[in-house]
Amino acid sequence: MNQWDIFLAPYKQAIDELKIKLKGIRKQYEREGKSSPIEFVTGRVKPIPSIIEKANQRGIQFDKLSEEMYDIAGLRMMCQFVDDIDIVVELLKNRKDFEVVEERDYIKDTKESGYRSYHVIVKYPIETLDGQRFILAEIQIRTLAMNFWATIEHTLRYKYDGDYPPEIQHRLERAAEAAYLLDEEMSEIREEIKEAQKYYTEQRSELR
Ligand SMILES: Nc1nc2c(ncn2[C@@H]2O[C@H](COP(=O)(O)OP(=O)(O)OP(=O)(O)O)[C@@H](O)[C@H]2O)c(=O)[nH]1
Ligand SMILES: Nc1ncnc2c1ncn2[C@@H]1O[C@H](COP(=O)(O)OP(=O)(O)OP(=O)(O)O)[C@@H](O)[C@H]1O
């Protein structure tokens, strides 16, 4: 094992555990026949080149990475509706297996780029051979529309290094507006959609 593998092992452990736990919330809703505020969950350990680049940009010393880089362990929880995000944040805050230590509401305070999401930083205990250790993890909570926009923008940002040609910049702004309007429209017909989903789930279980 090299130094990076040793350093990242506890983050991998935290992500594996948290993915199971957060996906478990959706399963509980399903078991109770309730519509879930969580559509799906993803998680990743930050790639090593990305850790190095961010540390260099921010002037973070390598022995301070665990305290100062919050997103080495990162999770995303995708929701259908904007209102589901508040429900998910409350669920996270009420849990006893980790502590929410910071919140960033980029839905109320949309970023200049057009980025919207709700971020929480959690302090999660893992058990190791040397005892308990706390790992910071970033959980991004967003709608499917917010996720679509952010995923595309992230890919383009990588290609253009954040310095977009005006045409692309303009398109991204329009796409952010469209994603916002999609969320608004879906919220308007939320109850209708939820009833249709419940009907569909019931029909499917009758067929089984
Ligand atoms: N696609 C996309 N993702 C973003 C944007 N801003 C933030 N994010 C995501 O949110 C994470 C944390 O962002 P911030 O809360 O601004 O944290 P930060 O570490 O202070 O700032 P950065 O990582 O430089 O964005 C980033 O690592 C991205 O995954 C954005 O404009 N576009
Ligand atoms: N909290 C998260 N949960 C799940 N996936 C994430 C999370 N944060 C980033 N990712 C994804 O992980 C991959 C690598 O992301 P990376 O950490 O290099 O980018 P970033 O989030 O833009 O970070 P930076 O803050 O360094 O700009 C990308 O596909 C990104 O979308």
Side-chain angles (χ1 to χ4, degrees):
M1 257 190 157
N2 70 29
Q3 290 298 312
W4 275 112
D5 289 337
I6 294 167
F7 174 73
L8 291 177
Y11 292 93
K12 285 205 177 78
Q13 184 179 333
I15 288 295
D16 288 346
E17 293 180 13
L18 281 167
K19 265 205 292 197
I20 289 175
K21 289 180 177 204
L22 299 180
K23 285 180 183 184
I25 305 176
R26 181 183 160 88
K27 290 204 182 105
Q28 285 178 43
Y29 273 96
E30 278 173 355
R31 268 201 300 276
E32 291 189 15
K34 293 180 186 162
S35 64
S36 167
I38 302 157
E39 191 61 13
F40 65 94
V41 177
T42 62
R44 65 96 181 91
V45 173
K46 198 173 181 69
I48 297 165
S50 180
I51 297 178
I52 296 172
E53 194 187 325
K54 192 166 181 171
N56 288 338
Q57 275 171 1
R58 305 278 165 95
I60 300 173
Q61 286 178 352
F62 279 70
D63 58 353
K64 288 276 189 314
L65 275 179
S66 298
E67 296 130 73
E68 294 182 16
M69 201 175 285
Y70 301 155
D71 68 334
I72 297 177
L75 294 121
R76 269 183 199 146
M77 302 176 79
M78 264 55 73
C79 307
Q80 290 187 342
F81 304 102
V82 180
D83 286 351
D84 290 337
I85 294 176
D86 291 336
I87 299 171
V88 172
V89 172
E90 273 315 297
L91 279 170
L92 297 180
K93 283 192 194 165
N94 286 331
R95 287 189 73 110
K96 300 280 180 284
D97 49 352
F98 52 74
E99 188 193 346
V100 172
V101 291
E102 200 182 313
E103 291 173 65
R104 293 182 190 181
D105 186 351
Y106 297 128
I107 297 172
K108 206 160 68 189
D109 302 317
T110 304
K111 281 200 162 195
E112 221 175 285
S113 60
Y115 178 78
R116 293 184 303 138
S117 268
Y118 199 104
H119 293 190
V120 299
I121 312 292
V122 301
K123 200 170 138 194
Y124 178 70
I126 57 159
E127 298 297 328
T128 74
L129 296 180
D130 302 319
Q132 198 177 58
R133 189 182 149 185
F134 288 95
I135 294 288
L136 291 175
E138 176 196 69
I139 308 180
Q140 301 176 343
I141 306 131
R142 42 169 81 160
T143 62
L144 298 170
M146 293 173 194
N147 189 50
F148 187 26
W149 182 90
T151 305
I152 302 290
E153 198 267 351
H154 191 273
T155 313
L156 288 171
R157 184 177 288 255
Y158 199 73
K159 179 173 175 194
Y160 292 105
D161 206 12
D163 194 10
Y164 299 123
E167 173 65 11
I168 303 276
Q169 177 69 36
H170 178 60
R171 294 269 173 211
L172 277 172
E173 280 164 19
R174 283 177 43 120
E177 182 65 21
Y180 173 80
L181 289 174
L182 181 59
D183 274 335
E184 294 268 287
E185 286 300 322
M186 290 302 175
S187 293
E188 292 293 324
I189 50 170
R190 178 192 161 118
E191 289 315 314
E192 192 70 27
I193 298 169
K194 286 210 176 245
E195 256 180 50
Q197 283 168 341
K198 199 161 168 260
Y199 176 75
Y200 174 74
T201 314
E202 280 165 6
Q203 295 289 308
R204 225 178 32 175
S205 62
E206 270 172 30
L207 286 175
R208 272 199 210 118

